[in-house]
Every structure is written in structure tokens, then in C-alpha cells.
Amino acid sequence: MIKSIWHWIQRFSSPKHFYGMSAKLIPWFTVSALLVGLYGLYLGLFVAPTDYQQGESYRIIFIHVPAAWMSLFVYMVMAISSGIGIIWQIRLADMVAAASAPIGASFAFLALVTGSLWGKPMWGAYWVWDARLTSELILLFLYFGYMALQSAIEDQRSADKASGLLAIVGVVNITIIHYSVEWWNTLHQGATVAKFDKPSMHIDMLIPLLLMALAFKLFYAAVVLVRTRNEALYRDRNRRWVRELINEL
Amino acid sequence: MNWSEFFHMGGYAFYVWTSYALTLVIVVANIVSPLLQRRKIIARIKRAIKRENIELAKSHE
């Protein structure tokens, strides 16, 4: 039983199989990301009411919060796939981790800059060394560290091991980011959506926020598939399936 | 609500629209960069195949 599951996993996680299957998924993720994103933007910019405290400036939330959530989500994908790659030596998992790093870094960067652009009119400063902001900045550096290790180490398996280990250790920082608004007195506001009580947000603001979060997630799915395909092509460049594929192009 | 009021964003136009413009830039970069990477990888593998074929032909001479 376990043996047949193992065979099944190995078959479906072969880069060749993944390469064929992912081609069919990418258009679906792309189109749904676009549709959900456009509808979310429409609701967020035209339908959602003005905030009674922050006026129109709060509309940055519809990109800031999804970007910040994604920077954490992509990091967890990266760390978990690295773990799977290290423990079970599934090459596809290492490829997914490597493919996720630049995307996650771009989300972390976006979360930091949009947060800064929101902080200026609301707090009076583009940047404060606050626990939430600082731990998110460390997250960006963890992504950079992962990417630097990937490109600095020649041998692919050693590179995956070293960068994967960094990713796994860095999960501590994810916990810190999440609880930073509770553990420290920060300028950054506490959770408004992800908490046990019901979200303290107007439903007309909450729906576009959740739609934008979904759109970001679908977008990540499309981009990570394209990037993982690239990793598969590059890492298997001397294998027969890639050679046959390239010769047909 | 009219359009100029919409773009004015209650006086926060700079902060709101810079955020949205940057998001667009990040999204476009995330689309373009892997597509360029793909082209580079394919070109590199094609070159390798060519080189190997030449070496193979030489060794048969």
C-alpha cells in the first residue's frame, strides 16, 4: 500500500510529468486571477465605502494586505517544499522552492512599499522601526539570502540543501511577523480579518479584500508553475526528455 | 462621484495611485521575467546540443 503510494508520488513528481501537466493548468490560473482581480479592484475602488477615520487612503489595503499575506504564504510554500526536498529527495519540491523565492520576495517588497506609502499619511512617517515592519523587512532579506545561496553554490543538490535549511530556520520569523502586533506595542494595527472573533471590518470592504487576496494567490499559482517549468528545463538540461522537447521546438 | 473626484482620492491621490502603479509594475515584472528566463534557458540548451553535435562529428572523422 505504502509502496504503491510512493510509486504514485514519484511518477507524478517527475519533472517530465509535471512539465506536461502544468502547461494545461497555467492558462486557467492566469484567466481566473485576471477576472477575480478585476472584480476585486472594481469593488475596492468604486463600491467600497470611504473609511470614517482614514478617508480614501485606506484603499491601499486592497493591495497591501494581500501582498503581505502572500509574502508569508509563499514563504511557507518555500520552506515546506524545501523540507520535502531534503527529507524525501523529491526534486520537484526543490524546484518549487527555488521558483517561489523571487515571487515571494516581490510580494514582500510590495507589502513594505505600499505599507510605507500608507504609513506616511496615517502615521506621519514612511518608516518606523516597529516590530511588524522590521520582521517583514527581515522576511525580504531571508528571500534574498535563499536566492543568493541558490546562485552561489555550484552543485545543485548542495545549493538546495543549504538554501532549504535557511528557509526552514527562517520560519521562526513568520511566527514573529504574525504575533508582532500582539507581543509588542506597535504602530501597526492588529489583526482585523484573521482572528477568532468576527472580522472588525465592513462587509463591503472585506469582500474586495478577500477577492484581491484570492487573485494574488491565483496569480502566484500561475507564475510559480511557469518558473518551476523553467527550473525543470534547466536542471534536466542533459536528460533525454528535455533534449527531445527542445529538438521539437 | 465623478472621475476627477475619483482620481483625487480625497487628497491621498499620491499615496494611493503610487501604490497601485507599483503593484502593476510588480505584476508585469512577475510575468515578463520568467518568460525571458525561459527563452534564455532554451537558447542555452540549443547551443549545447549544437556544440555536442559538432564534437560528435569531429570524433568520427
Side-chain angles (χ1 to χ4, degrees), chain A residues 19 41 45-46 54 56-57 59-60 62-63 106 109-110 113 117 120-122 126 219 223 227 230 233-234 242-243 246 249, chain B residues 1 3 6 9-10 12 14-20 22-23 26-27 30-31 33-34 37-38 41-42 44-46 48-49 52:
Chain A
Y19 194 90
L41 275 182
L45 290 175
F46 295 98
Q54 305 198 355
E56 306 294 346
S57 77
R59 289 185 201 278
I60 294 173
F62 300 120
I63 47 179
S106 77
F109 175 76
L110 185 62
V113 179
L117 282 162
K120 179 68 185 166
M122 291 302 114
Y126 280 112
F219 179 68
V223 178
R227 279 192 177 275
N230 287 350
L233 278 184
Y234 182 70
V242 172
R243 290 305 172 96
I246 299 286
L249 286 176
Chain B
M1 187 187 69
W3 282 106
F6 173 71
M9 273 289 150
Y12 297 110
F14 170 74
Y15 305 106
V16 173
W17 297 124
T18 311
S19 295
Y20 277 84
L22 181 76
T23 306
I26 296 278
V27 165
N30 264 311
I31 296 168
S33 136
Q37 192 191 33
R38 180 183 160 81
I41 292 168
I42 290 173
R44 187 182 158 155
I45 300 172
K46 276 187 173 166
I49 294 174
E52 284 161 24

Short mmCIF file of all heavy atoms in Angstrom, two decimals, chain A residues 19 41 45-46 54 56-57 59-60 62-63 106 109-110 113 117 120-122 126 219 223 227 230 233-234 242-243 246 249, chain B residues 1 3 6 9-10 12 14-20 22-23 26-27 30-31 33-34 37-38 41-42 44-46 48-49 52:
data_model
loop_
_atom_site.label_atom_id
_atom_site.label_comp_id
_atom_site.label_asym_id
_atom_site.label_seq_id
_atom_site.Cartn_x
_atom_site.Cartn_y
_atom_site.Cartn_z
N TYR A 19 6.01 18.84 -16.23
CA TYR A 19 6.13 19.78 -17.34
C TYR A 19 4.92 19.69 -18.27
O TYR A 19 4.37 20.70 -18.71
CB TYR A 19 7.42 19.50 -18.12
CG TYR A 19 7.79 20.62 -19.06
CD1 TYR A 19 8.58 21.67 -18.62
CD2 TYR A 19 7.33 20.65 -20.36
CE1 TYR A 19 8.91 22.71 -19.46
CE2 TYR A 19 7.64 21.69 -21.22
CZ TYR A 19 8.44 22.72 -20.76
OH TYR A 19 8.75 23.75 -21.58
N LEU A 41 -10.82 44.73 -7.78
CA LEU A 41 -10.41 46.14 -7.94
C LEU A 41 -11.64 47.03 -8.10
O LEU A 41 -11.71 48.12 -7.51
CB LEU A 41 -9.52 46.30 -9.18
CG LEU A 41 -8.03 46.03 -9.02
CD1 LEU A 41 -7.32 46.28 -10.34
CD2 LEU A 41 -7.43 46.91 -7.93
N LEU A 45 -12.28 49.84 -5.40
CA LEU A 45 -12.06 51.26 -5.75
C LEU A 45 -13.37 52.02 -5.96
O LEU A 45 -13.44 53.22 -5.74
CB LEU A 45 -11.20 51.37 -7.01
CG LEU A 45 -9.73 50.96 -6.85
CD1 LEU A 45 -9.01 50.99 -8.19
CD2 LEU A 45 -9.02 51.86 -5.85
N PHE A 46 -14.43 51.34 -6.39
CA PHE A 46 -15.67 52.06 -6.74
C PHE A 46 -16.82 51.80 -5.77
O PHE A 46 -17.66 52.65 -5.57
CB PHE A 46 -16.11 51.69 -8.16
CG PHE A 46 -15.14 52.14 -9.22
CD1 PHE A 46 -14.22 51.25 -9.74
CD2 PHE A 46 -15.15 53.46 -9.68
CE1 PHE A 46 -13.31 51.67 -10.72
CE2 PHE A 46 -14.26 53.87 -10.65
CZ PHE A 46 -13.34 52.97 -11.16
N GLN A 54 -9.85 57.00 8.08
CA GLN A 54 -8.70 57.16 7.21
C GLN A 54 -9.06 57.74 5.84
O GLN A 54 -8.19 57.89 4.99
CB GLN A 54 -8.01 55.81 7.01
CG GLN A 54 -7.64 55.15 8.32
CD GLN A 54 -6.60 54.07 8.14
OE1 GLN A 54 -6.20 53.73 7.03
NE2 GLN A 54 -6.13 53.54 9.25
N GLU A 56 -10.01 58.13 2.06
CA GLU A 56 -9.77 57.26 0.90
C GLU A 56 -8.42 56.55 0.98
O GLU A 56 -8.17 55.61 0.23
CB GLU A 56 -9.82 58.08 -0.40
CG GLU A 56 -11.09 58.89 -0.60
CD GLU A 56 -12.34 58.04 -0.79
OE1 GLU A 56 -12.19 56.82 -1.04
OE2 GLU A 56 -13.44 58.59 -0.68
N SER A 57 -7.54 57.00 1.86
CA SER A 57 -6.18 56.43 1.90
C SER A 57 -6.22 54.94 2.21
O SER A 57 -5.33 54.19 1.80
CB SER A 57 -5.32 57.14 2.94
OG SER A 57 -5.67 56.69 4.23
N ARG A 59 -7.75 52.70 0.93
CA ARG A 59 -7.89 51.82 -0.24
C ARG A 59 -6.59 51.11 -0.61
O ARG A 59 -6.60 50.15 -1.39
CB ARG A 59 -8.46 52.60 -1.43
CG ARG A 59 -9.91 52.97 -1.22
CD ARG A 59 -10.56 53.63 -2.40
NE ARG A 59 -11.74 54.37 -1.98
CZ ARG A 59 -12.94 53.81 -1.77
NH1 ARG A 59 -13.12 52.54 -1.99
NH2 ARG A 59 -13.94 54.54 -1.34
N ILE A 60 -5.49 51.56 -0.03
CA ILE A 60 -4.21 50.85 -0.21
C ILE A 60 -4.31 49.45 0.38
O ILE A 60 -3.61 48.53 -0.04
CB ILE A 60 -3.06 51.66 0.44
CG1 ILE A 60 -2.87 52.98 -0.32
CG2 ILE A 60 -1.74 50.89 0.44
CD1 ILE A 60 -1.88 53.93 0.31
N PHE A 62 -6.32 47.13 -0.12
CA PHE A 62 -6.69 46.07 -1.06
C PHE A 62 -5.49 45.49 -1.80
O PHE A 62 -5.61 44.44 -2.44
CB PHE A 62 -7.74 46.58 -2.06
CG PHE A 62 -9.00 47.03 -1.36
CD1 PHE A 62 -9.45 48.34 -1.49
CD2 PHE A 62 -9.71 46.16 -0.56
CE1 PHE A 62 -10.59 48.77 -0.83
CE2 PHE A 62 -10.85 46.58 0.12
CZ PHE A 62 -11.29 47.89 -0.01
N ILE A 63 -4.35 46.17 -1.76
CA ILE A 63 -3.14 45.53 -2.28
C ILE A 63 -2.11 45.26 -1.18
O ILE A 63 -1.40 44.27 -1.23
CB ILE A 63 -2.49 46.36 -3.42
CG1 ILE A 63 -2.41 47.82 -3.03
CG2 ILE A 63 -3.27 46.17 -4.69
CD1 ILE A 63 -1.77 48.67 -4.09
N SER A 106 9.16 39.51 -4.25
CA SER A 106 8.46 40.64 -4.87
C SER A 106 7.21 41.02 -4.07
O SER A 106 6.88 42.20 -3.94
CB SER A 106 8.12 40.34 -6.33
OG SER A 106 7.01 39.48 -6.42
N PHE A 109 8.42 42.86 -0.91
CA PHE A 109 8.81 44.22 -1.30
C PHE A 109 7.57 45.09 -1.49
O PHE A 109 7.49 46.22 -0.99
CB PHE A 109 9.63 44.15 -2.58
CG PHE A 109 9.98 45.50 -3.15
CD1 PHE A 109 10.99 46.27 -2.57
CD2 PHE A 109 9.32 46.00 -4.26
CE1 PHE A 109 11.30 47.52 -3.08
CE2 PHE A 109 9.63 47.25 -4.79
CZ PHE A 109 10.63 48.01 -4.19
N LEU A 110 6.57 44.55 -2.19
CA LEU A 110 5.33 45.30 -2.43
C LEU A 110 4.62 45.63 -1.12
O LEU A 110 4.13 46.74 -0.92
CB LEU A 110 4.42 44.49 -3.36
CG LEU A 110 3.13 45.17 -3.82
CD1 LEU A 110 3.43 46.41 -4.63
CD2 LEU A 110 2.28 44.21 -4.64
N VAL A 113 6.60 48.51 0.60
CA VAL A 113 6.49 49.84 -0.01
C VAL A 113 5.07 50.39 0.08
O VAL A 113 4.88 51.56 0.41
CB VAL A 113 6.98 49.81 -1.48
CG1 VAL A 113 6.84 51.19 -2.11
CG2 VAL A 113 8.43 49.36 -1.55
N LEU A 117 3.84 53.71 1.98
CA LEU A 117 3.02 54.75 1.34
C LEU A 117 1.71 54.97 2.10
O LEU A 117 1.07 56.00 1.96
CB LEU A 117 2.71 54.36 -0.11
CG LEU A 117 3.86 54.58 -1.09
CD1 LEU A 117 3.64 53.77 -2.35
CD2 LEU A 117 4.01 56.06 -1.43
N LYS A 120 2.88 56.93 5.69
CA LYS A 120 3.20 58.36 5.64
C LYS A 120 1.98 59.24 5.97
O LYS A 120 2.05 60.05 6.90
CB LYS A 120 3.80 58.70 4.27
CG LYS A 120 4.16 60.17 4.10
CD LYS A 120 5.31 60.58 5.00
CE LYS A 120 5.56 62.08 4.89
NZ LYS A 120 6.42 62.55 5.98
N PRO A 121 0.86 59.12 5.26
CA PRO A 121 -0.27 59.99 5.60
C PRO A 121 -0.94 59.64 6.93
O PRO A 121 -1.53 60.50 7.57
CB PRO A 121 -1.25 59.80 4.43
CG PRO A 121 -0.90 58.48 3.84
CD PRO A 121 0.57 58.31 4.05
N MET A 122 -0.84 58.36 7.38
CA MET A 122 -1.56 57.95 8.59
C MET A 122 -0.74 58.10 9.86
O MET A 122 -1.23 58.52 10.90
CB MET A 122 -2.04 56.50 8.46
CG MET A 122 -3.14 56.30 7.42
SD MET A 122 -4.60 57.31 7.78
CE MET A 122 -4.60 58.43 6.38
N TYR A 126 7.30 57.55 6.66
CA TYR A 126 7.36 56.44 5.70
C TYR A 126 7.83 55.16 6.37
O TYR A 126 7.47 54.07 5.98
CB TYR A 126 8.31 56.79 4.55
CG TYR A 126 7.69 57.69 3.50
CD1 TYR A 126 8.14 58.99 3.32
CD2 TYR A 126 6.66 57.22 2.68
CE1 TYR A 126 7.57 59.82 2.36
CE2 TYR A 126 6.09 58.04 1.72
CZ TYR A 126 6.56 59.33 1.56
OH TYR A 126 6.00 60.13 0.61
N PHE A 219 -2.64 34.27 -9.07
CA PHE A 219 -1.52 34.81 -9.85
C PHE A 219 -0.22 34.09 -9.47
O PHE A 219 0.55 33.67 -10.34
CB PHE A 219 -1.40 36.31 -9.59
CG PHE A 219 -0.27 36.96 -10.34
CD1 PHE A 219 -0.30 37.08 -11.71
CD2 PHE A 219 0.84 37.45 -9.65
CE1 PHE A 219 0.75 37.67 -12.40
CE2 PHE A 219 1.89 38.05 -10.34
CZ PHE A 219 1.84 38.15 -11.71
N VAL A 223 2.34 31.96 -11.90
CA VAL A 223 3.74 32.33 -12.07
C VAL A 223 4.67 31.23 -11.53
O VAL A 223 5.69 30.92 -12.15
CB VAL A 223 4.05 33.68 -11.38
CG1 VAL A 223 5.53 34.02 -11.51
CG2 VAL A 223 3.21 34.79 -11.98
N ARG A 227 7.68 29.32 -13.54
CA ARG A 227 9.05 29.31 -13.03
C ARG A 227 9.54 27.90 -12.71
O ARG A 227 10.72 27.59 -12.92
CB ARG A 227 9.15 30.18 -11.77
CG ARG A 227 9.27 31.66 -12.09
CD ARG A 227 9.67 32.46 -10.86
NE ARG A 227 9.85 33.85 -11.16
CZ ARG A 227 10.97 34.37 -11.64
NH1 ARG A 227 12.02 33.60 -11.85
NH2 ARG A 227 11.05 35.65 -11.91
N ASN A 230 10.63 26.31 -15.82
CA ASN A 230 11.97 26.77 -16.18
C ASN A 230 13.04 25.99 -15.40
O ASN A 230 14.05 25.56 -15.97
CB ASN A 230 12.13 28.26 -15.88
CG ASN A 230 11.37 29.13 -16.86
OD1 ASN A 230 10.87 28.63 -17.87
ND2 ASN A 230 11.28 30.41 -16.58
N LEU A 233 13.38 22.51 -16.85
CA LEU A 233 14.14 22.51 -18.11
C LEU A 233 15.63 22.66 -17.83
O LEU A 233 16.46 21.93 -18.36
CB LEU A 233 13.69 23.68 -18.99
CG LEU A 233 12.44 23.51 -19.83
CD1 LEU A 233 12.24 24.74 -20.69
CD2 LEU A 233 12.54 22.27 -20.71
N TYR A 234 15.96 23.63 -16.96
CA TYR A 234 17.37 23.93 -16.72
C TYR A 234 18.08 22.78 -16.01
O TYR A 234 19.15 22.34 -16.42
CB TYR A 234 17.52 25.23 -15.93
CG TYR A 234 18.95 25.59 -15.71
CD1 TYR A 234 19.73 26.02 -16.78
CD2 TYR A 234 19.55 25.46 -14.47
CE1 TYR A 234 21.07 26.32 -16.61
CE2 TYR A 234 20.88 25.76 -14.29
CZ TYR A 234 21.64 26.19 -15.36
OH TYR A 234 22.96 26.48 -15.18
N VAL A 242 14.22 16.47 -21.92
CA VAL A 242 14.41 17.89 -22.26
C VAL A 242 15.01 18.01 -23.65
O VAL A 242 14.58 18.83 -24.47
CB VAL A 242 15.31 18.60 -21.23
CG1 VAL A 242 15.66 20.00 -21.69
CG2 VAL A 242 14.62 18.66 -19.87
N ARG A 243 15.98 17.14 -23.96
CA ARG A 243 16.61 17.17 -25.28
C ARG A 243 15.58 16.93 -26.39
O ARG A 243 15.57 17.62 -27.41
CB ARG A 243 17.73 16.11 -25.36
CG ARG A 243 18.94 16.45 -24.50
CD ARG A 243 19.45 17.81 -24.87
NE ARG A 243 20.48 18.32 -24.01
CZ ARG A 243 21.79 18.22 -24.24
NH1 ARG A 243 22.22 17.57 -25.29
NH2 ARG A 243 22.65 18.76 -23.41
N ILE A 246 13.33 20.04 -26.66
CA ILE A 246 13.98 21.20 -27.29
C ILE A 246 14.13 20.96 -28.79
O ILE A 246 13.95 21.87 -29.60
CB ILE A 246 15.37 21.46 -26.65
CG1 ILE A 246 15.25 21.76 -25.17
CG2 ILE A 246 16.11 22.57 -27.39
CD1 ILE A 246 14.71 23.09 -24.80
N LEU A 249 11.15 21.99 -30.68
CA LEU A 249 10.79 23.40 -30.71
C LEU A 249 11.27 24.08 -31.99
O LEU A 249 12.35 23.79 -32.48
CB LEU A 249 11.40 24.13 -29.50
CG LEU A 249 10.73 23.86 -28.16
CD1 LEU A 249 11.48 24.57 -27.03
CD2 LEU A 249 9.28 24.33 -28.15
N MET B 1 -20.42 60.50 -7.72
CA MET B 1 -18.96 60.67 -7.78
C MET B 1 -18.52 60.83 -9.24
O MET B 1 -18.87 60.02 -10.09
CB MET B 1 -18.28 59.45 -7.17
CG MET B 1 -16.79 59.62 -7.04
SD MET B 1 -15.98 58.09 -6.51
CE MET B 1 -16.21 57.06 -7.95
N TRP B 3 -15.17 61.54 -12.14
CA TRP B 3 -13.84 60.96 -12.33
C TRP B 3 -12.74 61.75 -11.65
O TRP B 3 -11.81 61.18 -11.09
CB TRP B 3 -13.52 60.81 -13.82
CG TRP B 3 -14.21 59.63 -14.41
CD1 TRP B 3 -15.30 59.65 -15.24
CD2 TRP B 3 -13.90 58.25 -14.20
NE1 TRP B 3 -15.68 58.37 -15.55
CE2 TRP B 3 -14.84 57.49 -14.92
CE3 TRP B 3 -12.92 57.59 -13.46
CZ2 TRP B 3 -14.82 56.11 -14.95
CZ3 TRP B 3 -12.90 56.20 -13.47
CH2 TRP B 3 -13.85 55.47 -14.21
N PHE B 6 -12.70 60.95 -8.20
CA PHE B 6 -12.16 59.59 -8.04
C PHE B 6 -10.63 59.61 -8.04
O PHE B 6 -9.99 59.02 -7.18
CB PHE B 6 -12.70 58.69 -9.16
CG PHE B 6 -12.09 57.32 -9.19
CD1 PHE B 6 -12.41 56.39 -8.20
CD2 PHE B 6 -11.21 56.95 -10.20
CE1 PHE B 6 -11.84 55.12 -8.22
CE2 PHE B 6 -10.65 55.69 -10.22
CZ PHE B 6 -10.97 54.77 -9.23
N MET B 9 -8.87 61.01 -4.85
CA MET B 9 -8.81 60.10 -3.70
C MET B 9 -8.83 60.84 -2.36
O MET B 9 -8.08 60.51 -1.43
CB MET B 9 -7.56 59.20 -3.78
CG MET B 9 -7.75 57.94 -4.59
SD MET B 9 -8.81 56.74 -3.76
CE MET B 9 -9.56 55.92 -5.16
N GLY B 10 -9.68 61.84 -2.29
CA GLY B 10 -9.83 62.57 -1.05
C GLY B 10 -8.54 63.20 -0.55
O GLY B 10 -8.32 63.33 0.65
N TYR B 12 -5.53 61.90 -1.05
CA TYR B 12 -4.48 60.90 -0.88
C TYR B 12 -4.02 60.31 -2.20
O TYR B 12 -3.44 59.22 -2.23
CB TYR B 12 -4.96 59.78 0.04
CG TYR B 12 -5.28 60.24 1.44
CD1 TYR B 12 -6.58 60.28 1.92
CD2 TYR B 12 -4.24 60.65 2.29
CE1 TYR B 12 -6.86 60.70 3.20
CE2 TYR B 12 -4.51 61.08 3.58
CZ TYR B 12 -5.83 61.11 4.03
OH TYR B 12 -6.09 61.53 5.30
N PHE B 14 -1.59 60.75 -4.33
CA PHE B 14 -0.20 60.34 -4.49
C PHE B 14 0.04 58.97 -3.87
O PHE B 14 0.60 58.07 -4.50
CB PHE B 14 0.75 61.38 -3.88
CG PHE B 14 2.18 60.90 -3.81
CD1 PHE B 14 2.95 60.84 -4.96
CD2 PHE B 14 2.73 60.50 -2.60
CE1 PHE B 14 4.26 60.37 -4.91
CE2 PHE B 14 4.03 60.03 -2.54
CZ PHE B 14 4.80 59.97 -3.69
N TYR B 15 -0.40 58.80 -2.62
CA TYR B 15 -0.12 57.55 -1.90
C TYR B 15 -0.88 56.38 -2.50
O TYR B 15 -0.32 55.29 -2.69
CB TYR B 15 -0.48 57.72 -0.41
CG TYR B 15 0.23 58.88 0.21
CD1 TYR B 15 -0.43 60.07 0.51
CD2 TYR B 15 1.61 58.81 0.47
CE1 TYR B 15 0.24 61.15 1.06
CE2 TYR B 15 2.29 59.88 1.02
CZ TYR B 15 1.60 61.05 1.31
OH TYR B 15 2.28 62.11 1.83
N VAL B 16 -2.16 56.61 -2.80
CA VAL B 16 -2.99 55.51 -3.32
C VAL B 16 -2.51 55.10 -4.71
O VAL B 16 -2.24 53.92 -4.98
CB VAL B 16 -4.48 55.90 -3.34
CG1 VAL B 16 -5.31 54.84 -4.04
CG2 VAL B 16 -4.99 56.13 -1.93
N TRP B 17 -2.34 56.09 -5.61
CA TRP B 17 -2.01 55.72 -7.00
C TRP B 17 -0.58 55.25 -7.16
O TRP B 17 -0.30 54.40 -8.03
CB TRP B 17 -2.36 56.87 -7.97
CG TRP B 17 -3.83 57.14 -7.96
CD1 TRP B 17 -4.45 58.33 -7.70
CD2 TRP B 17 -4.89 56.19 -8.19
NE1 TRP B 17 -5.81 58.18 -7.74
CE2 TRP B 17 -6.12 56.88 -8.03
CE3 TRP B 17 -4.94 54.83 -8.49
CZ2 TRP B 17 -7.36 56.26 -8.17
CZ3 TRP B 17 -6.18 54.20 -8.62
CH2 TRP B 17 -7.36 54.92 -8.47
N THR B 18 0.34 55.74 -6.34
CA THR B 18 1.70 55.20 -6.40
C THR B 18 1.67 53.72 -5.99
O THR B 18 2.33 52.88 -6.61
CB THR B 18 2.65 55.98 -5.47
OG1 THR B 18 2.50 57.37 -5.72
CG2 THR B 18 4.10 55.60 -5.71
N SER B 19 0.89 53.41 -4.96
CA SER B 19 0.77 52.01 -4.52
C SER B 19 0.23 51.13 -5.63
O SER B 19 0.77 50.05 -5.90
CB SER B 19 -0.16 51.91 -3.31
OG SER B 19 0.39 52.58 -2.21
N TYR B 20 -0.84 51.60 -6.27
CA TYR B 20 -1.46 50.78 -7.33
C TYR B 20 -0.54 50.67 -8.55
O TYR B 20 -0.47 49.61 -9.18
CB TYR B 20 -2.84 51.33 -7.69
CG TYR B 20 -3.91 50.83 -6.73
CD1 TYR B 20 -4.15 51.48 -5.52
CD2 TYR B 20 -4.67 49.69 -7.02
CE1 TYR B 20 -5.10 51.01 -4.62
CE2 TYR B 20 -5.61 49.22 -6.13
CZ TYR B 20 -5.83 49.87 -4.93
OH TYR B 20 -6.76 49.40 -4.04
N LEU B 22 2.74 50.78 -8.52
CA LEU B 22 3.83 49.87 -8.18
C LEU B 22 3.35 48.41 -8.26
O LEU B 22 4.09 47.54 -8.72
CB LEU B 22 4.37 50.16 -6.78
CG LEU B 22 5.52 49.24 -6.39
CD1 LEU B 22 6.80 49.67 -7.10
CD2 LEU B 22 5.73 49.21 -4.89
N THR B 23 2.12 48.17 -7.83
CA THR B 23 1.56 46.82 -7.91
C THR B 23 1.55 46.35 -9.36
O THR B 23 1.93 45.22 -9.66
CB THR B 23 0.12 46.80 -7.35
OG1 THR B 23 0.15 47.34 -6.03
CG2 THR B 23 -0.43 45.39 -7.30
N ILE B 26 5.04 45.41 -10.41
CA ILE B 26 5.45 44.12 -9.83
C ILE B 26 4.76 42.96 -10.56
O ILE B 26 5.39 41.94 -10.86
CB ILE B 26 5.10 44.07 -8.31
CG1 ILE B 26 5.91 45.12 -7.54
CG2 ILE B 26 5.29 42.68 -7.73
CD1 ILE B 26 7.31 44.72 -7.18
N VAL B 27 3.48 43.14 -10.88
CA VAL B 27 2.74 42.09 -11.59
C VAL B 27 3.36 41.87 -12.97
O VAL B 27 3.65 40.73 -13.36
CB VAL B 27 1.24 42.45 -11.70
CG1 VAL B 27 0.53 41.57 -12.71
CG2 VAL B 27 0.56 42.31 -10.33
N ASN B 30 6.66 40.14 -12.76
CA ASN B 30 6.50 38.72 -12.45
C ASN B 30 6.06 37.90 -13.66
O ASN B 30 6.26 36.68 -13.68
CB ASN B 30 5.47 38.54 -11.32
CG ASN B 30 6.13 38.42 -9.96
OD1 ASN B 30 7.06 37.66 -9.78
ND2 ASN B 30 5.66 39.20 -9.01
N ILE B 31 5.44 38.57 -14.64
CA ILE B 31 5.04 37.87 -15.86
C ILE B 31 6.21 37.82 -16.85
O ILE B 31 6.54 36.78 -17.40
CB ILE B 31 3.81 38.54 -16.52
CG1 ILE B 31 2.60 38.44 -15.59
CG2 ILE B 31 3.49 37.91 -17.88
CD1 ILE B 31 1.42 39.30 -16.01
N SER B 33 9.58 38.41 -16.43
CA SER B 33 10.85 37.82 -16.04
C SER B 33 10.93 36.30 -16.27
O SER B 33 11.90 35.82 -16.86
CB SER B 33 11.18 38.24 -14.61
OG SER B 33 11.65 37.18 -13.85
N PRO B 34 9.93 35.49 -15.86
CA PRO B 34 10.06 34.06 -16.16
C PRO B 34 9.98 33.73 -17.65
O PRO B 34 10.56 32.74 -18.09
CB PRO B 34 8.89 33.41 -15.39
CG PRO B 34 7.97 34.51 -15.05
CD PRO B 34 8.78 35.76 -14.99
N GLN B 37 13.43 34.36 -18.90
CA GLN B 37 14.27 33.29 -18.37
C GLN B 37 14.10 32.02 -19.20
O GLN B 37 15.08 31.35 -19.53
CB GLN B 37 13.85 33.04 -16.92
CG GLN B 37 14.80 32.16 -16.14
CD GLN B 37 14.21 31.73 -14.81
OE1 GLN B 37 13.01 31.53 -14.66
NE2 GLN B 37 15.06 31.60 -13.80
N ARG B 38 12.86 31.72 -19.56
CA ARG B 38 12.56 30.52 -20.36
C ARG B 38 13.28 30.58 -21.71
O ARG B 38 13.90 29.61 -22.14
CB ARG B 38 11.05 30.41 -20.56
CG ARG B 38 10.60 29.22 -21.38
CD ARG B 38 9.09 29.23 -21.59
NE ARG B 38 8.74 28.40 -22.72
CZ ARG B 38 8.63 27.07 -22.66
NH1 ARG B 38 8.83 26.45 -21.52
NH2 ARG B 38 8.30 26.37 -23.73
N ILE B 41 17.00 29.95 -21.24
CA ILE B 41 17.32 28.54 -20.95
C ILE B 41 17.23 27.70 -22.22
O ILE B 41 18.14 26.91 -22.53
CB ILE B 41 16.37 27.97 -19.86
CG1 ILE B 41 16.66 28.65 -18.52
CG2 ILE B 41 16.51 26.46 -19.74
CD1 ILE B 41 15.61 28.38 -17.45
N ILE B 42 16.17 27.92 -23.01
CA ILE B 42 16.01 27.15 -24.25
C ILE B 42 17.16 27.43 -25.21
O ILE B 42 17.74 26.50 -25.80
CB ILE B 42 14.64 27.44 -24.89
CG1 ILE B 42 13.54 26.81 -24.02
CG2 ILE B 42 14.56 26.89 -26.31
CD1 ILE B 42 12.13 27.14 -24.44
N ARG B 44 20.14 28.37 -24.45
CA ARG B 44 21.35 27.78 -23.91
C ARG B 44 21.41 26.28 -24.20
O ARG B 44 22.47 25.75 -24.58
CB ARG B 44 21.37 28.02 -22.39
CG ARG B 44 22.66 27.59 -21.76
CD ARG B 44 22.63 27.79 -20.28
NE ARG B 44 23.63 26.90 -19.69
CZ ARG B 44 24.21 27.11 -18.53
NH1 ARG B 44 23.91 28.16 -17.83
NH2 ARG B 44 25.11 26.26 -18.06
N ILE B 45 20.28 25.59 -24.03
CA ILE B 45 20.26 24.15 -24.29
C ILE B 45 20.47 23.87 -25.78
O ILE B 45 21.19 22.96 -26.16
CB ILE B 45 18.94 23.51 -23.79
CG1 ILE B 45 18.79 23.74 -22.28
CG2 ILE B 45 18.91 22.02 -24.10
CD1 ILE B 45 17.45 23.34 -21.72
N LYS B 46 19.87 24.72 -26.63
CA LYS B 46 20.05 24.54 -28.09
C LYS B 46 21.52 24.68 -28.47
O LYS B 46 22.03 23.90 -29.28
CB LYS B 46 19.22 25.58 -28.85
CG LYS B 46 17.77 25.14 -29.03
CD LYS B 46 17.04 26.10 -29.93
CE LYS B 46 15.65 25.57 -30.24
NZ LYS B 46 14.78 26.59 -30.83
N ALA B 48 24.07 24.11 -26.54
CA ALA B 48 24.78 22.93 -26.03
C ALA B 48 24.61 21.75 -26.97
O ALA B 48 25.57 21.03 -27.26
CB ALA B 48 24.28 22.59 -24.64
N ILE B 49 23.39 21.57 -27.48
CA ILE B 49 23.13 20.46 -28.40
C ILE B 49 23.98 20.61 -29.67
O ILE B 49 24.61 19.67 -30.14
CB ILE B 49 21.62 20.39 -28.75
CG1 ILE B 49 20.80 20.03 -27.51
CG2 ILE B 49 21.36 19.39 -29.87
CD1 ILE B 49 19.30 20.08 -27.72
N GLU B 52 27.63 19.84 -28.98
CA GLU B 52 27.84 18.40 -28.83
C GLU B 52 27.79 17.69 -30.18
O GLU B 52 28.57 16.77 -30.42
CB GLU B 52 26.77 17.81 -27.90
CG GLU B 52 27.05 18.13 -26.44
CD GLU B 52 25.81 17.96 -25.58
OE1 GLU B 52 24.90 17.21 -25.97
OE2 GLU B 52 25.75 18.61 -24.52
#
